[in-house]
Amino acid sequence: MTSWLQRWFGDPEPLRLHGIPVDLRNSRPDIADADVLARLDEALGLIAQYQPLRFRHLVRDVRGIRVERFPTRGAFLPAEEVVLTELTFLARRDISAAPVASSILHEGVHARVHAFRSHVLGGRNDAESMAREERLCRRAELTFGQSLPPALGAPVIERAAASLALADEEVAPTIDWQEARARQDDVDRGRNG
């Protein structure tokens, strides 16, 4: 809903963290915006500090980051050139900011590949190239995890290494997004019911 201030003065400047526009769409009253934004800020700070080249690519390759409820921890939305980071994933405090940063970095690699594929290859994409792309993203995660202090990087390294060991059809599975959304909605209804 547009407020009278937005109608009168126009859209406000978007929220920016580390120079990246952020669109927070919080549908969960039990999750504080400030907590989610603090975790996102921390995650972006880790990428900027430990992988500055990847961070510059992220800034250049995406129009922004959207935070909302979604059936996976992250996604790159090519039509909008936006990295989506899942709301409840950012709200978790049983993990450090490193896995969050790793997920954002991963989606940033998808953004970079999308830009290359669109401009150089004419948008060609198939199952084999998707598996190759996913492995490229996982290798970037692995490198990121290795650049972090050992205690912070360990869970990132473990997850990336496990993913890289998967077969092509497992590393880049076909996802039924309607089914995934329905399962997520069932979980949310159970939590609220």
Side-chain angles (χ1 to χ4, degrees):
M1 182 176 198
T2 305
S3 74
W4 69 271
L5 284 171
Q6 288 172 313
R7 285 193 305 273
W8 186 261
F9 294 107
D11 285 335
E13 242 335 273
L15 169 68
R16 290 180 178 272
L17 294 175
H18 294 269
I20 301 173
V22 175
D23 178 12
L24 174 58
R25 300 177 181 187
N26 189 350
S27 59
R28 296 272 302 264
D30 60 320
I31 296 175
D33 290 358
D35 292 343
V36 169
L37 293 173
R39 177 50 59 96
L40 180 58
D41 185 56
E42 185 181 2
L44 291 172
L46 287 174
I47 300 169
Q49 180 178 356
Y50 292 100
Q51 292 281 288
L53 179 62
R54 289 268 182 220
F55 185 77
R56 287 192 301 274
H57 288 171
L58 179 69
V59 170
R60 197 170 31 238
D61 295 337
V62 303
R63 291 186 179 182
I65 295 175
R66 179 180 307 148
V67 177
E68 71 180 338
R69 194 75 173 96
F70 198 72
T72 186
R73 60 172 55 183
F76 172 64
L77 308 176
E80 300 170 60
E81 297 177 346
V82 167
V83 166
L84 186 142
T85 300
E86 206 282 324
L87 177 71
T88 61
F89 181 53
L90 277 169
R92 288 180 61 181
R93 291 303 181 260
D94 61 322
I95 59 172
S96 75
V100 175
S102 179
S103 175
I104 293 167
L105 185 138
H106 175 117
E107 300 308 333
V109 174
H110 280 301
R112 180 146 278 263
V113 169
H114 171 74
F116 177 78
R117 187 183 299 126
S118 297
H119 294 89
V120 177
L121 302 178
R124 184 179 63 82
N125 201 7
D126 56 29
E128 183 180 325
S129 66
M130 285 307 299
R132 233 182 357 259
E133 181 177 329
E134 192 62 25
R135 289 184 192 290
L136 181 66
C137 296
R138 295 298 181 180
R139 281 193 296 277
E141 285 186 61
L142 182 61
T143 301
F144 174 63
Q146 292 167 338
S147 73
L148 295 170
L152 203 53
V156 173
I157 293 168
E158 181 181 343
R159 185 169 192 272
S163 294
L164 285 167
L166 297 172
D168 285 356
E169 58 277 357
E170 294 171 310
V171 77
T174 301
I175 298 170
D176 179 341
W177 289 108
Q178 284 185 311
E179 178 63 26
R181 178 69 78 175
R183 287 182 190 162
Q184 173 191 292
D185 291 346
D186 286 346
V187 168
D188 286 350
R189 273 192 295 278
R191 185 188 52 75
N192 292 327

